[in-house]
Amino acid sequence: MSVKISVFQSLMFLFNRFILRRYRSHKPKYQKCPSSLLQTDLSSHTLIFNLEGALLKSDSLFPYFMLVAFEAGGVMRSFLLYILYPFISLMSHEMGVNVMVLVSFFGIKKDGFRAGRAVLPKYFLEDVGLEMFKVLRKGGKRIGVSDDLPQVMIEGFLKDYLETEVVVGREMKVVGGYYIGIMEDKTKHDLVFDELVRKERLNTGHVIGITSFNTSLHRYLFSQFCQEIYFVKKSDKRNWQTLPRNQYPQPLIFHDGRLAIKPTLMNALVLFMWGPFAVAAAAARLFVSLCIPYSLSIPILGFSGCRLTVEIDDVSSQKLNSSGRKGCLFACNHRTLLDPLYIGFALKTKNITTVTYSLSRVSELLAPIKTVRLNRDRVSDGQAMKKLLSEGDLVVCPEGTTCREPHLLRFSPLFTEISDVIVPAAVTSPATFFYGTTASGLKAFDPLFFLMDPYPTYTVQFLDPVSGVSCQDPDGKLKFEVANHVQSVIGKALDFECTNLTRKDKYLILAGNNGVVKKN
């Protein structure tokens, strides 16, 4: 088999060297990138760029494999990758990459792997150099190539967020529906790239290659078919600016995964050192929240690192402090499953109820406040919410699901028909180490991951009350206006962008389903 491959490679080399030489009108020019390209009209050119060598600021691939190991394989797999990394750093570049691929992917089910589209794009985007991004946006067609990262890790990022038309990465070998941690032979990858570049040269006649000095990525193939080749130096990349969020071609609204920080070598060390303390802290905080009265639990939780900031507008203050007030309907944006609990902390009461659609059974049992499951039937759900409101304060999250980024999903209008007075509540909960939400993982662990942060933080802001529609909406249009108004006032208070995206949109993007979760 190896003899056949060798003969085939030799034939391809001769074909490229002699037969296709006639398609080259001149030798390629080697220039510095990207400063010279920024002054050039590239609209009729095809740009072929190396992902890790020319687009990303960082030269280390370790954080991205660590993300795959942690999010797809678990804590023990990521810890194994971490303790092996000193030995990996002593290996050749190619062998080190192969070992990281093996540790990260071995035994991962192919159909269940979503980290490439749901987790990695956030961290790739935060590592994109602004200068190179501007160059790529000037090109007529963009082709992203990686010699080290598997196709499944980079395709979602380049196509969905950077609008790259073609992505060429190394395919992973699969046995029985599971990755075995080995990439396809590099020769096969080179042949795919060879064919791609030849087609672009023959079709457009204007092909520019962008790579780096410290990588040999297809340098021979670049020189065969690219009219110009631009090289990026490490020193230049260190001076690049990071691509600002407001310049992302596609906004990053949804992403999954538990880690809130990029697991560089130093960050990973801090995470593993904090791990045992995090579990103990989460258990202690959970016990205090469940078993101790608010008058005592609030200062104890504050001493343990939990932070709560409460802001109340003047009208809301009068409404909430009124001695004769009955149950209030609080409509809040949704950051974690603990939103209603922290509103209860802010009000210093446990006599508060929240309604849910898909809360896990474990979370329902552990909740220190009353939770009621709805069945997605508008009439019966509305009646149930009115009954609960007559018994005390009620918290609803009209978004229907959590959103981590500074965006608000579309508010379902059902809550506007429940009460004549609605108190909007704007909540924020920045994550330090771990996200307390998930789309594809076990939701029962969401509160624990939130409490595992060194300083679990919440800010609750009660805004001026808004009038509900009650029965004064015969054509059914006013309820949507009220829901949109509540969304807009919360968005303004938090400086969040309002969207028309829904719970279904989120789960289709992150989990590949319509949001139906298992009851844990």
Side-chain angles (χ1 to χ4, degrees), residues 18-93:
F18 298 106
I19 300 178
L20 291 179
R21 179 177 292 179
R22 58 182 177 157
Y23 289 112
R24 291 180 292 163
S25 59
H26 56 275
K27 292 184 178 181
K29 295 186 294 183
Y30 297 88
Q31 302 182 48
K32 182 180 177 181
C33 186
S35 56
S36 54
L37 277 176
L38 286 173
Q39 312 300 324
T40 308
D41 181 13
L42 304 175
S43 58
S44 61
H45 292 66
T46 296
L47 302 185
I48 303 179
F49 66 94
N50 172 222
L51 172 65
E52 58 269 30
L55 178 65
L56 303 181
K57 293 181 60 179
S58 173
D59 293 315
S60 175
L61 300 180
F62 170 78
Y64 305 110
F65 286 110
M66 177 62 76
L67 283 165
V68 172
F70 186 91
E71 304 295 356
V75 176
M76 296 307 299
R77 185 189 296 263
S78 60
F79 184 68
L80 175 62
L81 177 60
Y82 182 78
I83 61 176
L84 287 177
Y85 189 72
F87 303 99
I88 293 174
S89 62
L90 298 177
M91 302 176 184
S92 66
H93 177 77

Side-chain angles (χ1 to χ4, degrees), residues 277-292:
F277 299 100
V279 174
R285 290 163 176 169
L286 185 63
F287 174 80
V288 171
S289 300
L290 295 176
C291 303
I292 298 180

Side-chain angles (χ1 to χ4, degrees), residues 3 10 27 58 88 90 120 136 145 164 169 185 187 204 213 221 259 267 334 372 384 386 393 395 419 473 496:
V3 174
S10 300
K27 292 184 178 181
S58 173
I88 293 174
L90 298 177
L120 293 175
L136 296 180
V145 185
T164 303
D185 188 78
T187 303
T204 66
F213 278 110
L221 296 175
L259 293 182
N267 286 345
H334 205 1
V372 176
K386 287 181 179 179
D393 294 335
V395 179
S419 174
D473 188 21
F496 283 7

Side-chain angles (χ1 to χ4, degrees), residues 302-320:
F303 181 77
S304 73
C306 295
R307 298 171 178 175
L308 171 63
T309 302
V310 181
E311 301 176 13
I312 305 179
D313 289 358
D314 293 338
V315 180
S316 290
S317 179
Q318 296 175 8
K319 171 71 176 175
L320 298 177

